[in-house]
Amino acid sequence: MSVRMPVLLPVDLWALGAVIALSVGLMVMLLLEWAPVRPGSPRGAILSLLTLAAAAGSVLYVRDVARSLFGGMFVHDGFTVFFTILFCAVAALAVLLSWDYARRTRIGQSEYYMLLLSATLGMILMAASNDLITIFLGLELMSLALYVLVGIRRARLESNEAALKYFLLGAFASGFLLYGIALLYGATGSTNLTRMAEFLAASPLQNNPLLIVGGLLLLTGFAFKIAAVPFHMWTPDAYEGAPTSVTAFMSAGAKAAGFAALLRVVLHALGGVHANWAPMLSAIAMLTMTVGNVTALLQINLKRMLAYSSIAHAGYLLVAVVAGGHEGASAALFYLAVYSVMNLGAFGVLTLLGRGQEERVTLSDVAGLGFRHPLLGVTLTVFMLSLGGIPPTAGFMAKVYLFGVALKAGWIPLVIVGVLNSVVSVFYYLRVTVAMYMEEPALEPVGISWAAPGVIALMVCLALTLWWGVQAHALLALALRSVQGLM
Amino acid sequence: MTLPLISLIPALPLAAVALHLLLGDRLGKRGTALLACGAVGAAFLLALRAVFALAARPEADRTLVEIVTTWMRAGDFSVDISFLLDPLSAVMILVVTGVGFLIHVYSIGYMAHDASFRRFFLYLNLFMFAMLTLVLADNFLLMFVGWEGVGLCSYLLIGFWYERPSAAQAGKKAFVVNRIGDFGFLLGMLTLFAFGGTLNFTRLFAVAPHVFAAGGTVITIATLLLFLGATGKSAQIPLYVWLPDAMEGPTPVSALIHAATMVTAGVYMVARCHVLFRLAPVSLEVVAVVGAATALFAATIGLAQNDIKRVLAYSTVSQLGYMFMACGVGAFSAGIFHLMTHSFFKALLFLGAGSVIHALSNEQDLRRMGALSSRLPWTHGTMLVATLAITGLPPLAGFFSKDEILSSAFASGHFGVWLVGVAGAVITAFYMFRLYILCFRGSSRLTHEAEQHLHESRPSMIAPLVVLAVLSAVGGWVGMPFQAGGHAFERWLRPVFEGGPAFAPARELSHGTEWALVAVSVTAGVIGILTALRLYLQSPQTATSLASRYASLRTLLVNKYWIDELLDAAVVRPFGAFSGWLWRFWDVVIVDGTVNAVGYALEGASAVLRLFQTGFVGTYALFLALGVAAMLLHFLRHG
């Protein structure tokens, strides 16, 4: 009689806890639609927060365990834990920011939060996957939810347009990605990242055209998601058209998810052929930083400006990927955590601007804001300084560490371009501050929709931006620990 | 319980900032002023306490490090938030808190009628915090925090009266130029980290001689990048252009930030990194030459300015050049000495100018002043002391420090630098006395309106002037030359500057040579003063008597006239024309042009890039496909 091993150990259930919790949570929310609530009820938001807390708690409970599940398709390691917590935190902050924003802009409540959770689930799958197929599944789950979220303000033309563009181009990019996966499968005989790495280590065929073209197409797919130049064109339109709370969510979450998958593929599976892709990625990084920052200079609409800024930040992050190794990867993780917090904060302030359905997010709308609402002004200033990399904020520490690592790895021109870019970027970030403190509003001053959940989210972002600026080493140590199993 | 010795000093102004923000307008003007000045005054007392504690230790052991907390630690990358008190930072904190306190007190009166009283003191306190962090930091990263912080405050304070377009424009210019400097500083810092492995001053300077080959490429590039940062902050060629425009800010700001403290940060940084600079002789030469060139160049421009604050601004640029000159020839302690004395007399000059401007209802043009000596006796007296001090006449403060710089340049064999320095001293004396005479002597050219409201400033503004005048008079005596084993100031700084790699010591000068050098620099000052007196005080009289007594005293008058003309033609006209040309051509066309061109180029690029953002999905998809095609092509050709 053969002994049947259980498919999953209890510890595995905990490791899968995030996936299970989110799946259950969003189904419960769907089922609860049978019991309709009055519009504006916080039920969806509260359920989402509980689900996210359960997801994060479950993964944290087994944070020191390393498991490989489902035939090596799903791995639970420090990297997965780091990103799961990051995505849950980003989603939770986005829920808090949406709490009042979704109500006042009349966004359908239940499907909104359900889609938010689906996207989060997709992100977690992307970070936890050790197989190109599951990465693709996660990416599509995330993207489909985001396409709908971008267009969820059905009555707004801009929202519709943004969603359609995002969808069409996203589908296009997915095609590239899938084709790349097929070619890589042909070249290495596997879609599993670990087996691909083993194959490449043993293979003399590292310059196999199939491998190179496949890798490039895969890279294109990821570059689209992280908004790297020249695959960034959808970003400003989608970010501007989407509801601000959704923009906040996707600018942090989707970008981090794209980088999570990119890091795993590039550093784990393709780590052996570093010399093949590093120069290419370095060129993309330079282009991304420069185009993002230079285009941001003239933007009047803050959502659009922050969209270009997020493109530029993708460029800085690519510098860390190019630098590679444990240090490069840890710099990327550190930067992603910091970027998520400060970017959510910046967009978060924008969700408070304007009353009812109005959207007041231009430079002239924030004119004089610093004097009328001093605390809000200081908050937005801190986020802007941090995005610009000015000490003593977290953004500065993240940039210093990132560029330091890249310089150590010998990428001198890349670092020079990077530092030049961060110098240029301060112009447009500080323009916001100048508008707040040195200009008077031309139109009627913007009204502020104060709401406790949004303010709490902003306070969390503000505290972390400042705390990591003066106490960075705990986060950095965590980032270094999290990438130990990656290579 | 003992209070922490060092960290409280920057913490006090920061706490004041927090209180300004929290309490808002509930404090009232009196409360705001009390809070702002109290915090800085207390910081000064704490600084005194710390320096006395430092002085009580044996000379070899005068380095105190206070670690507040670990900032960032990852593998071999480790930075703390920690402060370093050694004789060098001790001098700096005394200057910053001492002069800073006086200027805070002065500002109460100067800004009394300004609607944004609280905002002003908030920025000023924030500046004090940043500046103290800068000088007390024990690593590059924390220093950069202060470096950016003072830059930000400077920017906010230049544009303080943002309703004026010129103020907003000036703020922008300062910002642009300082970003270039910051770029250098950041890259220099990253280079030192990548090769030296640490950003901590003590550790980096200890390993530097082993890690970096003396005169090697890496250390030369790193120090040149740092110096680029210094030229931005300290307004040296080619990045000096923002400082004269920075005079758009309120006058106490000009005194505090753009004369006494912030602009000296570059000098302090170079002195702090003397170990690194000594490893890179090429960089030191660059520092000396840029310093000397700036000293002379800015002085010549100062000749032709009619705005009282602009004359002082160019003078500041020029004096900062002297400090860099000292560092460049290896006389770091002379540079810091001049930094200190300069902060006394230049702060006084700016505050005095502020008092004049205040008295004349915001008149800044020297051509509409004159004969104010009896109407503003206190302002006049203190300004005269400062003017004599900056011209380098003994026994005032400027004499000792400037003389030491010039003799160090001479002793180290930099004769060209020395000569430029002496020429600069002549011109300095000339334009300073021109300013003094046009402002306080001669005939009154006041507008009727200004005449009506003319009044001496209130006591709270006069008191800081008097204290600074005393300091400008006696502050240099700690550096009395001709003492066996060096003078007191040098002995104090010696533990800082004698460490590090071997450096070719300057030749010992004989007493005779030293006396001769003193004579030369005093003579230089006297020539400048006499020329100014003749041209601006005597020639108007000459001109009137020429008309009335044309017949009888003809020969003499013609002679006099001829001398004046000669002086005018040989010295003033060419220099005036030259400096006018320099100002018009160099400043306006080249420098402003470049700054604007960079801005336009970026804006143009931004506009072009925006064209691609057509809004059509087809275009975007095309770019996506083109991107993939480009990558494939690249690999097919190189892969």
Side-chain angles (χ1 to χ4, degrees), chain A residues 165 220 231 233 237 276 294-295 298 304 308 391 396-397 407-408 426 430 434 438 469-473 476, chain B residues 69-74 76 144-145 155 162 175 179 190 603 606 609 612-613 615 617 620-621 624 628 635:
Chain A
K165 275 183 191 161
T220 309
F231 313 108
M233 311 280 283
D237 293 0
N276 273 359
V294 170
T295 321
L298 283 190
R304 227 176 152 75
Y308 284 108
F396 170 68
M397 297 309 283
L407 199 63
K408 242 195 207 155
V426 177
L430 226 66
V434 168
M438 297 189 173
V470 293
Q471 274 295 306
H473 69 109
L476 196 52
Chain B
T69 174
T70 300
W71 196 354
M72 195 165 180
R73 184 164 291 157
D76 54 350
F144 190 67
V145 171
Y155 173 59
Y162 55 81
F175 183 72
R179 289 312 290 171
L190 285 171
E603 287 193 355
S606 191
L609 285 174
F612 292 119
Q613 205 73 41
V617 179
Y620 298 179
L624 227 162
V628 176
F635 267 102

Side-chain angles (χ1 to χ4, degrees), chain B residues 391-393 399 402-403 406 422 425 516-526:
Chain B
T391 47
L393 286 193
F399 161 74
K402 191 181 284 185
D403 182 60
L406 290 176
V422 173
L517 289 173
V518 169
V520 169
S521 61
V522 172
T523 313
V526 171

